[in-house]
Amino acid sequence: DIAAGEEVMRDVAFGQVVRKRHRNTRCWMCVSPLPLLSPVPARKSVTPMYCSMHCRDLDESVHAHELAKPWCRVLPEEVLLALRCALRCNTLQHTATHCN
């Protein structure tokens, strides 16, 4: 039996991309609305904006391969998402191969 309030499943996105029309209004990590007066910019790119330094640091650690590259500006959203998923699969396969 499942008790009331017991967590049964946690759904976490495998990959995400902020839609181009929301890139100036949403955090690139958690997709929360950006603070109007003080969004946090990425350190090595002019495009990504974050709601906090925590989100910026977390996103930069996850997407380090994208820093200083124009991918988010030149690629369609679907292609960027596919690229991120492929890179994540590659990372997971590499980790699984070397951890067994």
Side-chain angles (χ1 to χ4, degrees):
D1 290 338
I2 299 171
E6 181 179 351
E7 186 175 299
V8 182
M9 182 180 88
R10 180 172 290 173
D11 190 19
V12 179
F14 188 75
Q16 72 179 27
V17 171
V18 176
R19 306 273 325 211
K20 288 186 179 187
R21 68 177 179 257
H22 296 297
R23 289 186 178 170
N24 294 323
T25 61
R26 296 286 174 172
C27 175
W28 282 45
M29 184 63 206
C30 71
V31 197
S32 294
L34 289 174
L36 293 174
L37 299 177
S38 59
V40 178
R43 285 183 265 240
K44 297 182 181 179
S45 178
V46 296
T47 306
M49 298 298 281
Y50 304 96
C51 65
S52 67
M53 286 187 277
H54 173 74
C55 275
R56 179 192 62 194
D57 295 345
L58 188 56
D59 192 50
E60 287 180 355
S61 69
V62 172
H63 298 118
H65 53 274
E66 292 181 30
L67 298 176
K69 294 183 177 73
W71 295 353
C72 62
R73 283 178 265 148
V74 298
L75 295 176
E77 297 157 350
E78 297 83 4
V79 175
L80 182 58
L81 180 58
L83 178 63
R84 285 181 177 176
C85 289
L87 288 169
R88 182 156 184 217
C89 283
N90 186 44
T91 300
L92 293 174
Q93 286 177 343
H94 178 75
T95 302
T97 302
H98 290 82
C99 289
N100 291 332

